[in-house]
Amino acid sequence: MYRLRLMADSPYHRNTVGVLSKRFHAFVLRSIQSQSPVLSQLLHDRKKRQVFSTHLLLKKGEMWINTPNRELISCIQQHLLLHPEIDLIDWKGIVQEFHCQTYSRSFIEEKFSPNFTLHFLTPTTFYQRGNYYPLPELKRLLSSAAKAYEIFSGEPVDWGDLEPLVHLIRIEQVEVATERVHFGEFNVIGFKGKIAMNIKALPKEKQQMVWKLISYGALMGFGYKTAWGLGQTMLDPLEKRHISEHRRASKKSPELFGNPKTRMG
């Protein structure tokens, strides 16, 4: 699993989820198309869940792209080396640095914990039968996580194996609030907040399986329109450091980066 972190030269202090994050999604697709028309067409024609998600953190001057697809990451990196400018109309910036983080299977397994907390950083919602469902229901969370894992591994997850586990997962704490997201031609209602869970009642091998699915779900995002920036989530303890960075960034003004430069990390 990969996360490409783009560092730009100018922060943005308004809400980025909505029209702006939709435009960033379009920028990602254009970047891929400039380097690999074949991959771009595959992404455009894809009927299932998209193979990447995006997360704008422009208060920090950062943009994230999460995906298990290495070619996708390479295409964006090559595009940015030639064209570091990003124009989202309401925000324009120059990418000064970019770094690629890798989340290996072994890293995820080493971080295992039967007690964990999901932090929903951007509005999260599930779409079913024409309606938005802005609640962290366990069945929907696990189903979404299973789809994210399938994108990563190519291995489908049998829902019949997962559904009985839902009843054994203990919810320790829930703090969520709904928020409306404006995408221009339509609006979406999602939830933000956190949910703490305990999976100690599950057999050991099932604990590992749930942890694995939840980890990939958090890295890719949960629910509807994750490629447009919805459903972006962090899992504690998998990403404890990043969660702390988010909290600090929300309490102080972001710092500008130094002289313009673009580099691969």
Side-chain angles (χ1 to χ4, degrees):
M1 189 75 185
Y2 305 100
R3 171 176 293 156
L4 185 62
R5 299 176 66 188
L6 314 181
M7 287 72 163
D9 63 338
S10 56
Y12 184 86
H13 296 282
R14 286 177 283 171
N15 186 16
T16 58
V17 183
V19 173
L20 204 67
S21 58
K22 180 182 176 183
R23 290 172 184 162
F24 183 65
H25 165 262
F27 166 81
V28 171
L29 291 178
R30 288 195 301 270
S31 300
I32 296 167
Q33 184 180 38
S34 71
Q35 302 300 311
S36 176
V38 173
L39 177 58
S40 175
Q41 192 63 48
L42 287 173
L43 295 176
H44 182 270
D45 295 342
R46 185 176 175 83
K47 302 300 182 184
K48 296 182 180 180
R49 177 175 174 170
Q50 192 53 274
V51 300
F52 70 91
S53 68
T54 64
H55 188 187
L56 294 183
L57 303 95
L58 290 182
K59 287 183 179 180
K60 295 173 60 180
E62 289 193 25
M63 295 148 281
W64 293 5
I65 301 157
N66 309 298
T67 181
N69 191 307
R70 186 169 183 169
E71 182 186 1
L72 187 153
I73 293 293
S74 178
C75 285
I76 297 170
Q77 288 176 325
Q78 293 301 318
H79 175 83
L80 290 171
L81 287 172
L82 299 171
H83 308 285
E85 305 84 9
I86 298 180
D87 185 352
L88 304 182
I89 302 176
D90 293 328
W91 175 88
K92 298 179 182 180
I94 297 176
V95 175
Q96 298 177 316
E97 300 180 24
F98 54 83
H99 305 273
C100 186
Q101 296 174 260
T102 301
Y103 294 84
S104 65
R105 288 177 182 264
S106 59
F107 174 81
I108 290 172
E109 290 170 1
E110 289 168 5
K111 291 289 185 178
F112 167 77
S113 173
N115 295 286
F116 54 83
T117 302
L118 286 167
H119 296 262
F120 299 93
L121 307 175
T122 66
T124 303
T125 194
F126 302 94
Y127 188 74
Q128 187 174 9
R129 299 173 185 172
N131 290 315
Y132 300 114
Y133 191 84
L135 287 174
E137 186 180 278
L138 288 182
K139 284 187 178 181
R140 286 178 166 84
L141 287 172
L142 277 180
S143 176
S144 181
K147 292 175 183 176
Y149 179 73
E150 183 176 348
I151 291 172
F152 167 79
S153 66
E155 304 168 7
V157 179
D158 188 348
W159 178 246
D161 295 333
L162 278 182
E163 189 172 19
L165 307 181
V166 172
H167 307 292
L168 298 177
I169 297 175
R170 178 177 175 179
I171 297 177
E172 304 278 2
Q173 182 183 16
V174 178
E175 296 179 15
V176 296
T178 56
E179 182 176 308
R180 188 178 297 270
V181 182
H182 304 282
F183 283 116
E185 65 273 19
F186 66 96
N187 299 325
V188 172
I189 298 175
F191 67 88
K192 292 172 65 177
K194 67 179 181 180
I195 176 170
M197 286 179 268
N198 180 322
I199 56 173
K200 291 181 178 179
L202 275 62
K204 292 293 184 181
E205 68 275 10
K206 299 299 183 182
Q207 290 183 30
Q208 294 285 346
M209 182 176 73
V210 169
W211 168 258
K212 177 174 64 177
L213 296 183
I214 290 293
S215 295
Y216 286 106
L219 289 169
M220 279 291 287
F222 288 94
Y224 181 68
K225 292 294 184 185
T226 53
W228 288 13
L230 295 184
Q232 296 307 293
T233 311
M234 283 192 181
L235 174 61
D236 184 1
L238 181 68
E239 296 198 88
K240 196 165 187 176
R241 180 174 64 85
H242 283 313
I243 293 168
S244 298
E245 288 175 355
H246 270 263
R247 289 171 178 163
R248 288 198 301 269
S250 66
K251 294 178 181 179
K252 66 180 182 179
S253 299
E255 297 178 357
L256 295 178
F257 290 90
N259 294 328
K261 59 181 176 179
T262 305
R263 74 179 185 213
M264 258 177 68

